[in-house]
Amino acid sequence: MNKNVPSPQAAPATPSAPKRSLTPRRRAREYALQGVYQSLVMRRAGSLPNAAAIAKQLAEDPGFRRCQHDLFQGIFAGVLERTDELEGLITPALDRPINELSPVEHAALLIGTYELAIDLAVPYKVAINEAVELAKTFGGTDGHKYVNGVLDLLAQQLRSTEVQSS
């Protein structure tokens, strides 16, 4: 037996994946992303999304009770009510047609743009970071980089004073 090869018992345990910080606010944004995603997929399929039915379905998930409900409702309803307006803000910052975005990137951009443009109580860096984290968690390999770039451009337009003072 080769003494340079460690025995299986001596091999270090493989580290488990790091736990995500699921604060009630992060959970609210994650559920909002899921709802907006579902709405986008339905729209792309030619159906009219039912916001109440989507929200009811999300609320049935056991983890939903640990989210900040008012934040979820504000983001989810706000994005769905203003989708056209938010897409109008996003579209000039894109390098491709908005319907070519993955639904996850599209939903993360809508949420980030909503918080940048409408919910001014959320600092712009937080709005961007939270949308990027959503894209990292639910999106493709490099989708978060795209979301970050687009929202950085939008922050310079929508929150120029705040961006310059930081």
Side-chain angles (χ1 to χ4, degrees), residues 129-164:
N129 184 60
E130 289 296 324
V132 167
E133 289 301 317
L134 291 171
K136 278 183 186 177
T137 301
F138 296 100
T141 305
D142 287 332
H144 67 280
K145 294 176 184 175
Y146 189 76
V147 168
N148 186 56
V150 171
L151 291 178
D152 275 342
L153 281 173
L154 291 176
Q156 292 171 26
Q157 297 167 5
L158 300 170
R159 304 267 193 105
S160 59
T161 305
E162 188 180 351
V163 170
Q164 291 171 1

Side-chain angles (χ1 to χ4, degrees), residues 59-100:
E60 291 171 357
D61 186 79
F64 187 81
R65 61 188 142 87
R66 294 190 309 271
C67 86
Q68 188 174 335
H69 297 116
D70 58 334
L71 180 63
F72 160 77
Q73 190 58 40
I75 293 171
F76 179 60
V79 168
L80 292 189
E81 289 168 6
R82 294 183 155 129
T83 298
D84 292 340
E85 174 188 347
L86 297 170
E87 286 178 345
L89 294 170
I90 294 167
T91 300
L94 300 177
D95 63 353
R96 58 184 165 224
I98 200 161
N99 64 343
E100 290 181 13

